[in-house]
Amino acid sequence: MSATEAASQAAAPHEAGRDYFASLARWKVWEILFWATLAGCYFFPDIDRMLMSRVIIWGLFAMSLDVLLGYRGIPSLGHAVFFGVGAYVAGFLGKFGWTEPISGLFFAMFVAGALGLVMGKLVQRVTGVGLLMVTLGLNLIVFDFVLRSTELTGGDDGLQGIVIAPVLNYFRFDIWGRTAFWYAFVVAFVLFVVTRMLLKSPFGLALIGARENPRRMLTLGAPVEGDVSRAFMIAAALAGAAGALLTQTTQTAAPTYLSFQRSADVLVILIIGGAGRLYGGFIGAIVFILLQDYVSALSPVYWYFWIGLLLVIIVSFFRKGLLPSVEQLYDRLRSRKSAGPPG
Amino acid sequence: MSEAVLETKNMHMAFGGLVIFEAIDFSLRRGDRHAIIGPNGAGKTTFINLVTGLLKPRAGEIWFDGRNVTQDTPQQRVKAGLVRTFQINSLFKALNPLESVMLALLEREGRSKPSLRTVAQEKPLIDEAMALLDRFGLAGDAFSITDALAYGKQRLLEVVLALALKPKVLLLDEPAAGLSTQQGHEVFAKLADLPGETAILFIEHDMNLVFQYADIVSVFAAGSMVLQDTPENVRASPRVREVYLGA
Amino acid sequence: MAAILTVLFNGVAYGFLLFVMSVGLSVSLGMMNFVNLAQASFSMLGGYIFVTALQGYGIPFMLCLPIVFFAVAIVSVVLERLIFRYFYKTDDLTQVLLTIGLVFMSIAMATYVWGGTYQRFDMPAWIIGQKDVFGLTLETYRIFLVGFGAVMAVTLIFGLERTNLGAMVRACVDNRRVATACGLNTELIFAFTFAIGGGLAGLGGALSANLLGLDPNFPLRYLVYILIVVSIGGMGTITGTLVASLALGIADVMGKYYVPQFGSFIIYLLTVIVMLWRPHGLMGRGA
Ligand SMILES: Nc1ncnc2c1ncn2[C@@H]1O[C@H](COP(=O)(O)OP(=O)(O)OP(=O)(O)O)[C@@H](O)[C@H]1O
Ligand SMILES: [Mg+2]
C-alpha cells in the first residue's frame, strides 16, 4: 500500500471527514432501544412467544431481501427460494440424524448462499421487468420441483419426522416457544450485527454506489456484475438462516415456505417497513405478522384485502415505507422547533 | 516526439446503418493536453465510449499503454489507468461528495471486497478524499447530498471522481458544459496543475478554452478525423471553418 | 396422428385465450412503460360480469361479449384516471407493488360479492358439443375461440401496430411535451389505450370462464401465464404477444398431455432460458 501512504502523506488528517464515517458506523440510542424492547417482549405476561419468534424470523428474512433490494437495488420476486432451501436443508439434517441446531443452521446458510451465488451469476446481466420475470420463474421452478418430488420432500404434506436436539445440548424446544424465542432472537441479532458491519464497510458503500449509478461504478473500475452475485449470495445465506430457524423452531418444513406467495409477502413486508434502512424488514415484519395474526383470526379470507390496501396506500403516499416516512416527519418537527436565525 | 499512450488503429464504428467512423487512426501521446472539437453529432462522445469500452467497435484495434485493449472490459481499462468523465453528469445522487470520492479511492486501492471493517477505518483515504475535494473547492459541500448541489459543483465533482483514480489518461467529455466562462476557466486551470505525465484528452466546444489549454487539437467531422494540428494552425485552417459552417 | 392434431388444436385455442388476456398488459407495458398486473383482475372481472349477464339475466352469449368488453373498459379507464396515471413515471417495482396490491384487493372483493367457490353456469346449446373438421373431432367452443382469437389478432395488428395510433402512443410516452405540442392529446390517448387493453382482458376472462374455471383466485393463477407471454413475446409488440401466446398454449397443453409428471416445469424452464438469452423478449426491441 505504498501508493496510499504516499498519497496520504500530502493529505493532512481531516477530522470532519473521519467523524462523518465514524458517526455512520456508531450504534444509535434508538437502535439499542429497539433490540432491548424486542428482547423485553419475552417478559410481557400473556405474550405469544411462538408468534414473536415468527416475527423475528420474518424480520430476518425481510432484512435479507433488503441487502439485495434496498442496498444493491435488485428487485426479486423469488426470494422465498432461499428461505425454503434453508428450511429444507435444516429439515433434512434433523430428519436424518444430524439434530444439532447451530451447525445445522450454518450448513443451511452455506447451501442457500451457494445457490444464491449461482442464481446471482445467472441474472447479473438482466435488469428491469426481465429480472422480475427470471426471479419469479426460478421461484416457480424450485417450488414445482419440491412439490413434485414427493418421495424426497413429502410433497404437499411437507417434511415429516424432523428432530432437533436442544440448543447447546441444554435448551429444549418446548411448546411455549421459550427456547424458540431466544434462539431466534440471538441468531437474528448476531446475523444483524454482522450484516450491519458488512453494510457499513467499503463493500456496503460500493453496493449503494452500484444501486445509485451502475454505469458510473463501472467507470470507476468496480466489478459491478460481480457485486450482484455477491449481494445475492449474502442475501440468500441470510434468507436461508431465516428458513432454517423456522424449521428448527417448529420442526416442520412445507412447500409453502418457498411459494411465490411467500416471495410476495416478504417483499410487501420490506416495502411496508422501508427498503435500504436495515431496520425496515424488522419493522415491516412486526406490523405485517401481528396484523396478519389479528385480521386472519377475524376473517382469513379478507386478510388479503387489507394487505392489498396497505400496499396501495404505502406506494401512493409513503413511497419509501414507514421507517423513512417517520424519520422525515421527525426531522421536519425538529427543524421546525429549531427554526430561527441561521447560525 | 514522445511515445503514444493511447491509440486507435483503423477503428470502425456504426449504429445500424449510421456510420460514425469510417476508419479512424488516432494517437494520444504521454503528457499531452489534447482537444477534440467538431460539430454536434460528429461522434466525439462515441469515440470516448469506444476507447473506454462502453461500446465495442465494429472493427479495428485500441491500444493503451503498449497493450491491445480492444477486448478488455471497461473495468480492466479503468484499472489500467484509462479514466473518463461524462458529458451529462453521471453521479451518485443520494450520496454526498465525500462518499462518492471514497467510492473511487476504495476502488482504486482495491479495498471494496466484502469485509467487516468500517469505512471509518480507512483514515488515510478519508483524508485524501477531503484534500481532493478541498483542492476543487468542494470541501464545504462534502456532506451535502449530491443531488442538492448546484450544477457547477456537480460538474466539478464529475472531474474530481475521475481524478481520484490517478489516471494515466484522463478523458473529459465537455467538462465545462453548462458552466459560466469563468467557472470553465477555473476547471481547466485546476487541470493544468496536474502532474505532467498525465495525458488529458478533452472534448470542448468553447474555442477559447481549447486554444488556451490544448497543445494539440483534433477536428472530428462526418465520419473521420479531418485534421490534427497545433491550436494555431487549426485556428487558421479554412477546412475547420468549412466543417463548422457545414459547407 | 389425429390425436396429436387434436391436442395441437386445443393448444392453439388455449393460446388465443392467453393472447386476448395478455395483449392489454403487453400494450401498457411496451407502449406506456406501465407494469399493470391488475390486468389479471380485469380478466376475472370480465369473467364474473359474463357469468352474471349470461346466467343471471339470460342475455344471449354473443351479446354478453360486447357488454363485458365495454364494462371492463370503463372500469379500467376509471382506475387509470384515479390511480394509474400517477404512476407512469415510477419504477417497475413500484408499479408491480401497486398493481399486485390491487390484485390482492380484487380477490377479496370477488370473494365478498360472488363467493369463494367456482362459478357454475350453462353455455348456450349451439356452442357446446363437437364438430368434425377435416376428419378431426373438435370441440365447437374451441373452434369458436380460434376463429374469434384470430379475428381479434388481425384487427389489433392492423389497427394498433400498423397505424398511426401505435405511433401516437409511443410519441406520447417518449416525450409528452413534444407530443402535446404537436397537437396530440396525451391524456386521451393513454386513457383510450388503457380502455382497449382492459376491455380485451375482460373479454379474455369471459371467454375463459368456461374452459379454465372461474373463482376468486383466478388472477393469481393466470398472472404468471400472462407475464410469461408478455415477457417472452417482447413488450409492446402485438405480433410477439401472439406468437408467444400460441407457443405457450401449445407447449402447455402438449406438455400436460404427454408428460404430465413434469406439469408446468417445462414452461417455467423455457421462460427462464428465454429471459436469460433475450432479456427483451423474442421479438422485443433490444436496448
Ligand atoms: N447508442 C446509439 N445508438 C444510435 N445512435 C447513436 C448512439 N449514440 C450516438 N448515436 C448517434 O451517433 C452520432 C454521434 O453521436 P455523439 O454523441 O458521439 O456525438 P458528439 O460528437 O458527442 O456530439 P455532441 O457535440 O452533441 O456531444 C449522433 O448522430 C448520435 O445520434
Ligand atoms: Mg458528445
Side-chain angles (χ1 to χ4, degrees):
Chain A
M1 283 300 115
S2 65
T4 327
E5 277 155 27
S8 52
Q9 255 157 30
H14 201 293
E15 291 311 323
R18 293 176 175 199
D19 287 350
Y20 175 73
F21 283 107
S23 80
L24 281 190
R26 203 173 297 133
W27 278 77
K28 314 282 180 301
V29 175
W30 68 264
E31 289 186 272
I32 295 164
L33 276 178
F34 175 85
W35 287 102
T37 313
L38 198 56
C41 280
Y42 180 86
F43 302 102
F44 280 16
D46 301 332
I47 196 151
D48 183 346
R49 298 194 179 110
M50 247 5 233
L51 179 68
M52 281 317 290
S53 64
R54 222 170 71 223
V55 167
I56 294 170
I57 291 169
W58 274 95
L60 178 64
F61 183 26
M63 182 189 81
S64 77
L65 182 61
D66 202 12
V67 173
L68 206 56
L69 176 61
Y71 285 85
R72 183 52 185 78
I74 303 171
S76 164
L77 289 184
H79 204 54
V81 165
F82 306 120
F83 184 89
V85 166
Y88 272 90
V89 169
F92 280 125
L93 288 177
K95 183 177 178 177
F96 295 112
W98 186 337
T99 56
E100 201 289 307
I102 296 176
S103 55
L105 184 86
F106 273 112
F107 190 68
M109 282 181 77
F110 177 79
V111 175
L115 184 71
L117 188 65
V118 173
M119 200 121 137
K121 288 250 183 271
L122 267 181
V123 304
Q124 64 189 12
R125 283 158 193 275
V126 190
T127 54
V129 181
L131 184 63
L132 293 173
M133 285 313 300
V134 176
T135 49
L136 172 64
L138 288 171
N139 193 164
L140 295 173
I141 289 174
V142 178
F143 177 67
D144 218 51
F145 175 79
V146 169
L147 204 58
R148 276 166 201 288
S149 321
T150 342
E151 283 169 23
L152 191 68
T153 61
D156 235 345
D157 303 330
L159 214 51
Q160 308 294 324
I162 300 171
V163 180
I164 304 294
V167 180
L168 301 174
N169 222 349
Y170 184 77
F171 300 101
R172 260 171 217 299
F173 287 104
D174 52 34
I175 51 163
W176 302 284
R178 289 186 299 211
T179 309
F181 180 92
W182 286 120
Y183 182 57
F185 179 84
V186 172
V187 169
F189 181 68
V190 169
L191 289 176
F192 172 84
V193 171
V194 173
T195 308
R196 191 181 182 283
M197 287 165 85
L198 202 60
L199 291 174
K200 304 281 179 194
S201 77
F203 173 70
L205 188 59
L207 284 187
I208 299 176
R211 174 193 77 192
E212 288 294 305
N213 191 343
R215 187 179 66 158
R216 187 68 210 226
M217 278 308 273
L218 199 67
T219 48
L220 293 181
V224 174
E225 285 177 359
D227 279 352
V228 173
S229 43
R230 283 192 205 141
F232 253 101
M233 183 180 73
I234 295 165
L238 291 169
L245 276 181
L246 189 60
T247 295
Q248 293 179 336
T249 52
T250 60
Q251 283 97 51
T252 52
T256 52
Y257 285 17
L258 35 74
S259 63
F260 165 65
Q261 191 66 62
R262 191 152 294 223
S263 297
D265 284 349
V266 73
L267 190 59
V268 172
I269 288 178
L270 181 61
I271 296 303
I272 291 176
R277 296 304 169 111
L278 210 48
Y279 281 90
F282 284 98
I283 306 273
I286 292 170
V287 174
F288 185 95
I289 302 293
L290 295 185
L291 209 61
Q292 183 183 42
D293 191 60
Y294 178 70
V295 176
S296 303
L298 295 181
S299 57
V301 187
Y302 302 120
W303 158 240
Y304 272 100
F305 179 82
W306 298 111
I307 207 66
L309 186 63
L310 191 60
L311 207 49
V312 170
I313 290 174
I314 290 220
V315 294
S316 304
F317 303 111
F318 309 97
R319 246 344 118 75
K320 291 176 180 153
L322 292 183
L323 190 55
S325 304
V326 171
E327 270 174 19
Q328 255 169 25
L329 192 70
Y330 175 75
D331 284 348
R332 210 174 308 151
L333 288 180
R334 210 172 50 167
S335 67
R336 191 173 303 163
K337 218 181 278 171
S338 65
Chain B
M1 180 158 156
S2 71
E3 52 162 331
V5 58
L6 178 68
E7 272 182 295
T8 67
K9 297 179 181 170
N10 250 321
M11 186 169 72
H12 171 70
M13 184 62 190
F15 293 111
L18 177 68
V19 176
I20 306 294
F21 299 119
E22 207 51 74
I24 193 160
D25 287 302
F26 179 93
S27 93
L28 175 74
R29 287 164 311 173
R30 225 174 270 286
D32 261 0
R33 303 288 188 260
H34 192 140
I36 295 182
I37 62 172
N40 293 113
K44 303 180 298 292
T45 299
T46 305
F47 180 78
I48 290 195
N49 286 339
L50 287 166
V51 168
T52 50
L54 293 192
L55 291 174
K56 285 247 173 285
R58 292 268 181 99
E61 290 178 355
I62 300 160
W63 287 68
F64 176 65
D65 215 13
R67 260 181 350 105
N68 183 344
V69 296
T70 319
Q71 301 304 328
D72 285 10
T73 63
Q75 287 115 286
Q76 286 171 319
R77 301 182 206 204
V78 174
K79 292 280 182 222
L82 187 58
V83 177
R84 69 170 297 175
T85 66
F86 288 90
Q87 177 171 359
I88 296 166
N89 283 341
S90 181
L91 298 166
F92 306 102
K93 289 190 175 173
L95 297 181
N96 63 34
L98 175 60
E99 288 165 326
S100 308
V101 177
M102 281 304 284
L103 277 174
L105 295 180
L106 290 162
E107 216 46 73
R108 183 190 79 196
E109 300 298 328
R111 302 183 68 80
S112 289
K113 310 240 156 38
S115 78
L116 299 182
R117 291 168 53 85
T118 64
V119 180
Q121 282 164 286
E122 304 287 346
K123 294 200 171 97
L125 289 183
I126 298 176
D127 297 338
E128 186 186 343
M130 288 304 293
L132 198 56
L133 287 170
D134 198 26
R135 213 166 91 214
F136 279 80
L138 288 171
D141 302 293
F143 308 113
S144 323
I145 296 299
T146 303
D147 205 22
L149 293 186
Y151 175 80
K153 299 206 159 156
Q154 294 194 23
R155 206 70 202 128
L156 279 176
L157 185 57
E158 182 78 34
V159 176
V160 171
L161 282 185
L163 273 182
L165 296 172
K166 295 225 174 104
K168 287 194 181 110
V169 167
L170 185 57
L171 306 163
L172 303 167
D173 196 349
E174 303 195 20
L179 296 183
S180 70
T181 318
Q182 198 209 335
Q183 285 173 315
H185 276 278
E186 281 169 17
V187 174
F188 274 94
K190 298 256 163 53
L191 290 169
D193 290 344
L194 285 180
E197 72 265 26
T198 312
I200 301 180
L201 179 66
F202 62 96
I203 299 174
E204 188 49 67
H205 282 298
D206 183 337
M207 291 306 151
N208 289 326
L209 290 172
V210 170
F211 295 130
Q212 187 166 345
Y213 293 99
D215 318 322
I216 183 161
V217 179
S218 295
V219 186
F220 281 25
S224 66
M225 189 165 74
V226 183
L227 189 71
Q228 187 173 67
D229 213 328
T230 61
E232 294 73 37
N233 293 347
V234 166
R235 197 202 293 263
S237 159
R239 274 290 277 143
V240 175
R241 214 155 299 156
E242 236 171 69
V243 163
Y244 269 92
L245 297 177
Chain C
M1 190 60 199
I4 294 186
L5 285 180
T6 310
V7 175
L8 194 67
F9 181 79
N10 290 348
V12 172
Y14 183 35
F16 274 118
L17 256 191
L18 289 176
F19 170 72
V20 180
M21 274 200 275
S22 32
V23 74
L25 178 61
S26 170
V27 168
S28 78
L29 196 53
M31 295 186 176
M32 292 140 85
N33 283 327
F34 185 71
V35 191
N36 183 16
L37 303 188
Q39 208 77 23
S41 295
F42 293 160
S43 288
M44 173 176 70
L45 179 64
Y48 278 116
I49 293 177
F50 170 76
V51 172
T52 310
L54 188 75
Q55 196 77 0
Y57 293 92
I59 298 173
F61 176 81
M62 287 310 275
L63 200 59
C64 286
L65 297 182
I67 292 177
V68 166
F69 180 87
F70 285 111
V72 181
I74 289 169
V75 171
S76 61
V77 167
V78 169
L79 281 175
E80 196 264 350
R81 290 287 92 188
L82 285 182
I83 305 177
F84 295 146
R85 64 174 167 144
Y86 299 108
F87 289 84
Y88 286 147
K89 286 268 173 315
T90 60
D91 58 330
D92 301 337
L93 185 67
T94 306
Q95 295 169 353
V96 164
L97 290 166
L98 171 79
T99 53
I100 203 126
L102 291 173
V103 170
F104 285 164
M105 289 171 75
S106 75
I107 290 174
M109 288 192 282
T111 315
Y112 183 77
V113 179
W114 287 287
T117 51
Y118 277 91
Q119 292 292 306
R120 299 163 148 275
F121 60 98
D122 307 307
M123 294 295 272
W126 62 269
I127 214 165
I128 44 183
Q130 298 176 330
K131 279 201 166 53
D132 284 329
V133 185
F134 304 121
L136 296 174
T137 312
L138 303 175
E139 277 177 53
T140 317
Y141 187 60
R142 290 183 207 260
I143 299 176
F144 168 77
L145 273 185
V146 170
F148 187 88
V151 171
M152 282 276 120
V154 171
T155 317
L156 284 173
I157 289 172
F158 285 96
L160 218 61
E161 206 156 70
R162 303 280 158 84
T163 59
N164 273 339
L165 183 65
M168 267 155 51
V169 175
R170 232 165 267 162
C172 291
V173 173
D174 287 344
N175 197 329
R176 251 168 199 246
R177 274 221 329 272
V178 173
T180 312
C182 293
L184 295 179
N185 185 340
T186 52
E187 304 274 304
L188 191 68
I189 289 173
F190 276 19
F192 183 65
T193 320
F194 228 91
I196 294 184
L200 284 169
L203 213 48
L207 292 172
S208 62
N210 170 39
L211 217 55
L212 308 178
L214 182 64
D215 75 330
N217 270 322
F218 184 91
L220 281 185
R221 239 181 309 134
Y222 288 95
L223 186 57
V224 173
Y225 281 82
I226 297 176
L227 278 172
I228 290 177
V229 165
V230 172
S231 47
I232 288 194
M235 297 128 207
T237 90
I238 292 170
T239 323
T241 309
L242 179 64
V243 172
S245 306
L246 292 177
L248 183 68
I250 293 169
D252 197 36
V253 171
M254 285 237 170
K256 288 202 170 126
Y257 191 81
Y258 290 107
V259 278
Q261 65 273 27
F262 285 116
S264 307
F265 197 77
I266 302 172
I267 289 169
Y268 301 151
L269 196 64
L270 280 175
T271 309
V272 169
I273 292 172
V274 169
M275 290 320 288
L276 290 174
W277 171 50
R278 300 269 320 246
H280 295 274
L282 290 176
M283 309 186 74
R285 290 178 287 168

